[in-house]
């Protein structure tokens, strides 16, 4: 009988039966179980990490041998005459100082983070146990400590390979440019792939362990929700390390950098890595502390946070919570991204080679775009195989599998576009930076004014793109769509981190080439690699900011679902107050970190001046800085960063809890939205302003103004060590803490506040203590 001849009620029943049968057919077991897919990806990731470490360890650390087995062939293929013994002695001295300084800082920073983690676990665990249940408290703290320890391990691996590789990259550049490029990329891949693989492996292991404890995790949705809300503690632990790693590392690196620039370039007209400047070693240590350990912990926190938020959203779905195939979708997407990154990186090194200088930047960009393109069919296939044809999420029924795939693609390509936009505003290839360079011929003031305007203008398109992505993803799949969009951005995490690590490794290699008095050709080659690394670093910063915005909104969405705030009103006295309070916190945080850099940089400059005065008085003006002098500068930066990171870190961890317990969940939701919006615009502006000033300085120093000024160009007025160059240096010095301390740290402000709210959601009252008191009058 045709369907239209059935009674209306019969049509509805038959339609539902057909739809259910279709869903069951599509939801057949995928070719690989989620556990198998994740395990395969982790094995491949660990294998590629070990391969990168092997390649790096096989490179020589002394001039005079091609590799560890051949101790006679000269390393310099072009036959340059050089003081081989002198270079080897200096390599051991300066690379040893950088390694010792970096590991010393990391030891004391990790000690502080460990003490905070133990103290926070004790207090937070007690509070959660008192306000909810002891079971929830214990499981959350286990997840929190695992996330903390995994993030610490990842940072240590990245730091260790970076300080191990820097001198070897310099010596490979002594051979030829392509050799230095391949080694720097292999060393960077150790950091990138170890972080992504460790995060995926440890989070999957945690879920497996908890699933054996929570026996009814699939059959009872209440248990499923509880388990994944506890697992969100992993993201909180990772974000806590990211906060202190980013803030502490940022203060260290910029205190050293600003101090070295003022004492060296501006006051003595020394080159950037002059061995007479005792702050130079601290500056090189800072490159590893801030751009390796800091950036790594930042993106580790984003990766963990995005997956945890998506898992909580999946558990809230009445459909997706019924099968492990559906629940594990966020993890399988991350595993697919890891495979795409491995293929892209292998193709970049194996199929292409650096023949000319411009090939370096092209190959770095090709690796990231290649990973994005490869991830697209992978994520579509995963969504098709691991999702039902149609399912429900909190707040919407009838979500199709392809709609969630589209959400993931929106995140993937919006992140890539935001990175490209950041490159446009910060690269000397394009007009914004060239306009700043022209302003430098007038004064430092005009350079700074125009640079601030550039940063504010650069917010418009990236924030608009995120807004469009959020609108589309929320329309298609509510907060699960936003969380999956964040995973889409981070599917290429390993490739992005590989390129990010490439920059500081080659920067350190260039510094060692100059300090070790290697032939000029070596510094020229490392500068080519460093310049490409700086350009792609802008893409990495845009990538980090865009992912932080979506991770924060995804975590906020998970919090809103746990607290049943999907339809909560956003108009009211406490809601308005929450928006305003939330918007103030990023400014407070920004001020604290900027003050910290200024104070520490001032101490650094005073120490360098004292040392130089003593040398001049004793007639040793031309002598290189001693190890003791360098250690004093490293100690200043270390002590300042460890002390100064406490206040801003505590502000971000404690403020959401204070607002939640005092004013209630609705005001906390407004507070979080205000903080996210304000942090996002400030982060984009600060990072792009600082990056533009940095490349303006390099453009003026290299004689780039000759292209802009034509016949009016005068090398004495507009070239290296000219007034225009000094104006560019002032802008770069002002911009250093913007792009490497306060700006990037705002990424973690967004994520950490939302993650704190999510983890403590069950203990936060709907109406806070003060709100209850006000209501009683």
């Amino acid at each position: 009988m045709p369907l239209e001849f059935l009674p209306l009620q019969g049509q509805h029943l038959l339609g539902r039966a057909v739809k259910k049968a279709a869903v069951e057919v599509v939801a057949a077991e995928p070719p690989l179980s989620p556990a198998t897919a994740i395990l395969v990806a982790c094995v491949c990731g660990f294998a590629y990490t070990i391969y990168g470490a092997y390649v790096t360890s096989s490179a020589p650390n002394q001039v005079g041998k091609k590799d560890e087995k051949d101790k006679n062939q000269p390393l310099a293929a072009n036959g340059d005459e050089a003081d081989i013994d002198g270079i080897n002695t200096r390599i051991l001295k300066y690379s040893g100082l950088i390694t010792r300084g970096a590991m010393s800082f990391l030891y004391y920073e990790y000690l502080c983070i460990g003490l905070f983690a133990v103290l926070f676990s004790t207090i937070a665990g007690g509070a959660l146990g008192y306000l909810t249940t002891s079971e929830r408290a214990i499981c959350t703290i286990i997840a929190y400590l695992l996330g903390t320890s995994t993030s610490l391990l990842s940072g240590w691996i990245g730091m260790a390979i970076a300080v191990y590789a820097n001198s070897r990259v310099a010596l490979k550049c002594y051979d030829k440019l392509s050799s230095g490029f391949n080694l720097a990329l292999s060393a960077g891949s150790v950091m990138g792939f170890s972080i992504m693989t460790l995060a995926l492996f440890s989070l999957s292991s945690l879920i497996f362990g908890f699933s054996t404890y929570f026996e009814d995790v699939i059959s009872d949705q209440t248990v499923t929700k509880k388990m994944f809300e506890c697992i969100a503690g992993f993201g909180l632990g990772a974000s806590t390390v990211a906060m202190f790693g980013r803030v502490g590392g940022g203060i260290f690196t910029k205190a050293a950098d600003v101090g070295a620039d003022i004492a060296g370039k501006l006051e003595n007209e020394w080159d950037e890595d002059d061995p007479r400047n005792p702050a130079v070693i601290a500056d090189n240590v800072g490159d590893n502390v801030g751009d390796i350990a800091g950036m790594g912990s930042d993106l580790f926190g984003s990766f963990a946070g995005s997956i945890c938020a998506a898992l909580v959203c999946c558990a809230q779905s009445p459909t997706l919570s019924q099968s492990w195939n559906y629940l594990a979708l966020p993890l399988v997407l991350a595993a697919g991204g890891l495979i795409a990154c491995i293929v892209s990186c292998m193709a970049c090194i194996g199929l292409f080679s650096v023949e000319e200088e411009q090939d370096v930047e092209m190959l770095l960009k090709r690796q990231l775009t290649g990973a994005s393109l490869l991830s697209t069919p992978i994520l579509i296939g995963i969504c098709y195989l691991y999702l039902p044809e149609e399912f429900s999420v909190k707040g919407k029924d009838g979500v199709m599998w392809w709609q969630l795939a589209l959400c993931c693609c929106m995140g993937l390509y919006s992140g890539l576009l935001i990175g490209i936009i950041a490159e446009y505003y910060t690269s000397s290839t394009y007009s914004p930076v060239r306009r700043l360079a022209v302003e430098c011929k007038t004064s430092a003031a005009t350079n700074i004014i125009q640079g601030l305007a550039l940063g504010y203008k650069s917010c418009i398109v990236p924030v608009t793109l995120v807004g469009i992505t959020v609108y589309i993803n929320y329309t298609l799949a509510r907060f699960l769509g936003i969380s999956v969009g964040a995973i889409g951005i981070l599917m290429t995490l390993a490739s992005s981190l590989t390129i990010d690590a490439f920059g500081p490794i080659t920067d350190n290699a260039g510094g060692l080439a100059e300090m070790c008095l290697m032939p000029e050709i070596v510094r020229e080659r490392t500068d080519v690699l460093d310049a490409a690394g700086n350009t792609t670093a802008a893409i990495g910063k845009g990538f980090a900011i865009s992912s932080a915005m979506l991770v924060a909104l995804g975590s906020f969405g998970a919090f809103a679902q746990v607290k049943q705030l999907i339809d909560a009103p956003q108009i009211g006295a406490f809601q308005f107050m929450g928006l305003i309070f939330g918007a103030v916190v990023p400014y407070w945080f920004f001020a604290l970190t900027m003050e910290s850099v200024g104070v520490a940089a001032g101490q650094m400059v005073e120490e360098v001046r004292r040392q130089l005065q003593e040398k001049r008085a004793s007639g040793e003006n031309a002598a290189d800085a001693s190890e003791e002098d360098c250690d004093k500068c490293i100690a200043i930066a270390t002590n300042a960063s460890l002390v100064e990171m406490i206040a801003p870190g505590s502000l971000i961890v404690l403020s959401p809890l204070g607002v939640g317990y005092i004013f209630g969940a609705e005001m906390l939701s407004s507070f979080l939205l205000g903080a996210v919006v304000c942090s996002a615009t400030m982060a984009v502006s600060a990072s792009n302003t600082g990056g533009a000033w940095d490349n303006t300085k390099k453009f003026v120093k290299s004689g780039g103004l000759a292209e802009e000024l034509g016949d009016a160009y005068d090398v004495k007025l507009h070239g290296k060590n000219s007034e225009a160059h000094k104006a560019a240096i002032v802008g770069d010095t002002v911009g250093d803490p913007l792009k490497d301390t306060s700006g990037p740290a705002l990424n973690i402000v967004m994520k950490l506040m939302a993650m704190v709210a999510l983890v403590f959601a069950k203990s936060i009252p709907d109406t806070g203590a003060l709100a209850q008191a006000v209501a009683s009058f």
Side-chain angles (χ1 to χ4, degrees):
M1 180 184 296
L3 180 62
E4 56 266 29
F5 290 110
L6 287 174
L8 184 61
Q9 184 179 8
Q11 292 183 33
H12 288 168
L13 291 173
L14 180 60
R16 275 190 294 208
V18 170
K19 184 182 292 186
K20 182 178 180 182
V23 168
E24 288 176 354
V25 170
V26 175
E29 285 296 317
L32 285 178
S33 69
T36 304
I38 294 166
L39 182 61
V40 169
C42 288
V43 169
C44 293
F46 283 129
Y48 197 77
T49 300
I50 294 169
Y51 172 74
Y54 170 76
V55 170
T56 306
S57 64
S58 299
N61 191 33
Q62 294 280 275
V63 181
K65 50 185 178 179
K66 281 282 185 182
D67 53 44
E68 297 297 334
K69 297 179 181 178
D70 186 354
K71 301 185 178 182
N72 297 317
Q73 278 190 314
L75 184 62
N78 56 11
D80 285 338
E81 293 184 3
D83 179 7
I84 301 299
D85 291 337
I87 291 175
N88 286 338
T89 300
R90 284 171 170 269
I91 286 174
L92 293 175
K93 173 186 175 182
Y94 290 117
S95 65
L97 282 171
I98 292 171
T99 300
R100 191 176 68 198
M103 289 304 177
S104 174
F105 170 80
L106 209 62
Y107 170 79
Y108 288 108
E109 183 184 50
Y110 280 14
L111 185 62
C112 293
I113 293 173
L115 291 173
F116 176 86
V118 171
L119 181 63
F120 182 77
S121 298
T122 303
I123 297 174
L128 275 175
Y130 176 75
L131 295 171
T132 58
T133 63
S134 58
E135 179 186 58
R136 180 182 291 272
I138 293 171
C139 291
T140 301
I141 294 307
I142 290 172
Y144 172 81
L145 292 176
L146 180 62
T148 301
S149 57
T150 308
S151 184
L152 292 175
L153 175 61
S154 300
W156 181 86
I157 291 172
M159 180 78 86
I161 195 66
V163 296
Y164 185 82
N166 51 25
S167 60
R168 290 166 170 80
V169 171
L171 291 175
K172 280 293 185 180
C173 287
Y174 204 155
D175 186 9
K176 55 183 178 179
L177 181 64
S178 60
S179 298
F181 172 83
N182 289 337
L183 183 61
L185 199 62
S186 295
S189 70
V190 175
M191 172 184 164
F193 286 91
S194 65
I195 284 179
M196 191 171 183
T197 309
L198 277 172
L200 182 61
F201 178 77
S202 56
L203 187 51
S204 302
S205 301
L206 178 67
I207 293 172
F208 175 77
F210 276 15
S211 66
T212 59
Y213 173 75
F214 293 94
E215 296 178 354
D216 300 326
V217 69
I218 295 298
S219 58
D220 187 346
Q221 190 183 8
T222 303
V223 177
T224 307
K225 291 178 181 179
K226 182 196 294 186
M227 188 187 88
F228 283 105
E229 287 163 14
C230 293
I231 285 171
F234 184 94
L236 177 60
S239 296
T240 302
V241 175
M243 169 57 68
F244 290 110
R246 202 42 146 156
V247 174
I251 293 171
F252 184 107
T253 183
K254 290 305 111 180
D257 195 359
V258 172
D261 284 351
I262 293 174
K265 296 177 186 176
L266 294 176
E267 295 186 354
N268 292 282
E269 296 187 352
W270 288 341
D271 288 333
E272 184 155 355
D273 293 294
D274 195 301
R276 292 171 292 179
N277 189 346
V280 162
I281 293 296
D283 185 14
N284 280 275
V285 170
D287 289 336
N288 297 290
V289 166
D291 295 335
I292 296 289
M295 174 64 87
S297 62
D298 181 358
L299 288 175
F300 182 97
S302 291
F303 186 66
S306 66
I307 295 177
C308 289
L311 288 170
V312 172
C313 291
C314 286
Q316 297 287 329
S317 166
T319 311
L320 301 182
S321 61
Q322 296 176 2
S323 169
W324 275 114
N325 290 343
Y326 309 154
L327 278 173
L329 176 75
L331 296 166
V332 179
L333 284 172
L338 180 57
I339 296 297
C341 291
I342 292 173
V343 174
S344 177
C345 196
M346 291 177 66
C348 181
I349 295 178
L351 300 179
F352 306 99
S353 61
V354 174
E355 303 295 340
E356 300 177 357
E357 294 181 1
Q358 57 265 33
D359 293 341
V360 176
E361 183 176 330
M362 180 191 68
L363 286 179
L364 291 176
K365 291 179 181 177
R366 185 174 289 171
Q367 177 175 332
L368 187 57
T369 54
S372 300
L373 292 173
L374 285 171
S375 295
T376 305
I378 290 175
L379 73 86
I380 292 173
I382 288 172
C383 289
Y384 175 75
L385 292 171
Y386 291 87
L387 282 175
E389 181 181 357
E390 184 178 330
F391 57 93
S392 300
V393 296
K394 200 72 172 284
K396 185 178 180 182
D397 296 327
V399 180
M400 309 296 290
W401 70 267
W402 61 264
Q403 292 177 320
L404 205 61
L406 180 58
C407 292
C408 199
C409 288
M410 286 294 298
L412 178 65
Y413 287 102
S414 65
L416 186 62
L417 284 174
I418 289 171
I420 293 171
I421 293 165
E423 181 198 2
Y424 170 75
Y425 279 103
T426 58
S427 172
S428 59
T429 305
Y430 305 105
S431 59
V433 166
R434 292 178 174 241
R435 285 199 295 268
L436 287 186
V438 173
E439 293 295 336
C440 290
K441 70 184 179 64
T442 305
S443 69
T446 52
N447 177 33
I448 290 174
I449 292 169
Q450 293 297 328
L452 291 172
L454 178 151
Y456 298 145
K457 190 189 298 183
S458 70
C459 296
I460 299 170
V461 178
V463 173
T464 301
L465 277 173
V466 172
I468 293 171
T469 301
V470 168
Y471 174 79
I472 292 174
N473 288 17
Y474 184 83
T475 301
L476 293 176
R478 296 300 185 261
F479 283 112
L480 178 60
I482 295 175
S483 299
V484 169
I487 294 175
I489 296 180
L490 294 162
M491 284 184 74
T492 58
L493 174 64
S495 291
S496 179
L497 277 173
T498 297
I499 295 171
D500 283 332
F502 180 91
I505 289 171
T506 54
D507 189 10
N508 265 206
L512 285 169
E514 185 167 324
M515 287 186 286
C516 298
L517 305 181
M518 293 184 187
E520 188 65 27
I521 186 66
V522 180
R523 181 67 200 228
E524 291 174 2
R525 288 169 178 167
T526 58
D527 282 349
V528 170
L529 300 178
D530 185 29
N534 285 333
T535 300
T536 52
I539 299 176
K541 284 188 172 68
F543 175 89
I545 294 169
S546 58
S547 67
M549 285 190 265
L550 287 184
V551 169
L553 290 171
S555 301
F556 167 80
F559 163 77
Q561 291 185 58
V562 171
K563 295 301 294 179
Q564 305 294 325
L565 296 175
I566 299 297
D567 299 318
Q570 287 300 312
I571 297 178
F574 283 113
Q575 288 88 334
F576 285 148
M577 189 165 63
L579 282 171
I580 294 170
F581 282 4
V584 167
V585 170
Y587 282 95
W588 189 0
F589 175 87
F590 201 93
L592 289 172
T593 52
M594 290 288 284
E595 283 179 349
S596 300
V597 172
V599 170
Q603 294 174 355
M604 185 77 68
V605 171
E606 291 300 321
E607 174 61 23
V608 174
R609 287 172 179 167
R610 183 193 65 77
Q611 293 180 17
L612 294 179
Q613 287 173 359
E614 290 182 358
K615 285 185 178 181
R616 287 170 185 149
S618 61
E620 300 178 1
N621 191 34
D624 291 351
S626 66
E627 291 189 21
E628 182 182 357
D629 291 341
C630 295
D631 286 341
K632 289 179 180 177
C633 291
I634 293 173
I636 288 173
T638 300
N639 294 334
S641 61
L642 295 179
V643 172
E644 299 290 341
M645 73 180 183
I646 296 173
S650 301
L651 170 68
I652 302 308
V653 172
L654 299 178
S655 59
L657 296 177
V659 171
Y661 290 128
I662 295 172
F663 297 100
E666 286 190 7
M667 179 169 170
L668 177 56
S669 67
S670 299
F671 177 84
L672 294 174
L673 289 175
V676 168
V677 171
C678 196
S679 296
T681 53
M682 290 178 70
V684 174
S685 172
S687 296
N688 288 345
T689 296
W693 278 331
D694 184 17
N695 283 324
T696 297
K697 174 201 68 177
K698 293 173 181 174
F699 184 72
V700 174
K701 178 183 175 182
S702 65
L705 278 175
E707 303 175 30
E708 301 299 309
L709 301 179
D711 294 338
Y713 178 77
D714 185 339
V715 68
K716 293 182 180 179
L717 297 176
H718 310 123
K720 183 178 178 180
N721 294 330
S722 65
E723 290 302 315
H725 185 211
K726 290 180 181 178
I729 291 173
V730 171
D732 175 49
T733 305
V734 173
D736 273 336
L738 295 180
K739 71 180 176 66
D740 289 322
T741 305
S742 302
L746 287 171
N747 300 344
I748 300 140
V749 170
M750 296 182 266
K751 297 179 295 186
L752 183 55
M753 291 174 72
M755 192 57 66
V756 168
L758 172 59
V759 170
F760 288 89
K762 284 294 185 181
S763 68
I764 293 174
D766 295 332
T767 305
L770 185 59
Q772 293 177 8
V774 171
S776 64
F777 286 100

